[in-house]
Every structure is written in C-alpha cells, then in structure tokens.
Amino acid sequence: GVGHGDGWGREARVAKSIKGQQVLVKLNSGVDYRGIMSSLDGYMNIAMENTEEYVNGQLKNKYGDAFIRGNNVMYISTVKDK
C-alpha cells in the first residue's frame, strides 16, 4: 500500500501469521485483552473474538467481539496453548 513504507510487507506477514490465534494485547493503560485475533491492520487496529478484559491480572469483563484502536496498543503477543 501507499504510505506504509518498507516495513509494511513484514507487518502484513506477521498479521497474517497470528490471525486466528490466541493473543494477548496489552494497552498503554495497563489493561490486557485476551482473545482470538480476527484481524490486524497496518495501524495496529485489532479486531478480536471471545475477548476477555483483565485489569491487574483480574478478569473484569467478557466480550464477544472487540475492536481496539492501534494507538492504544503497547504490544501484542501470541499465547501458547497450555
């Protein structure tokens, strides 16, 4: 795409590789979301399914689908199945 620079190809491959996987998304606020990654774009906007919200490690809410704006995201990591 135009305006994404040279890193976009790599980001797109990473996004594709984690689609459908269990992920942990940590926000700048310190809140964690765990769920299934359904989509990720070049701006780190995330759509998730079966989402759980954790505050200080405690489960606070459960959502079906969730959308997280990329500018709130500190990092995304995959969660290995136990």
Side-chain angles (χ1 to χ4, degrees):
V2 176
H4 286 295
D6 294 320
W8 173 239
R10 187 176 68 245
E11 289 171 13
R13 284 196 299 277
V14 169
K16 203 168 188 174
S17 73
I18 63 177
K19 185 175 177 181
Q21 288 197 41
Q22 186 80 22
V23 293
L24 166 65
V25 178
K26 184 149 191 98
L27 303 191
N28 296 322
S29 64
V31 176
D32 294 343
Y33 289 93
R34 293 169 186 255
I36 307 297
M37 171 77 66
S38 56
S39 72
L40 173 67
D41 70 13
Y43 301 100
M44 296 279 281
N45 295 314
I46 300 163
M48 296 171 70
E49 302 165 6
N50 302 335
T51 311
E52 296 177 336
E53 179 184 57
Y54 290 84
V55 180
N56 299 322
Q58 301 293 311
L59 178 61
K60 292 292 184 188
N61 287 297
K62 289 190 177 189
Y63 305 103
D65 297 331
F67 182 77
I68 301 170
R69 284 184 50 151
N71 58 356
N72 297 318
V73 175
M74 185 184 301
Y75 68 80
I76 305 166
S77 69
T78 55
V79 178
K80 298 285 179 271
D81 289 332
K82 293 182 177 54

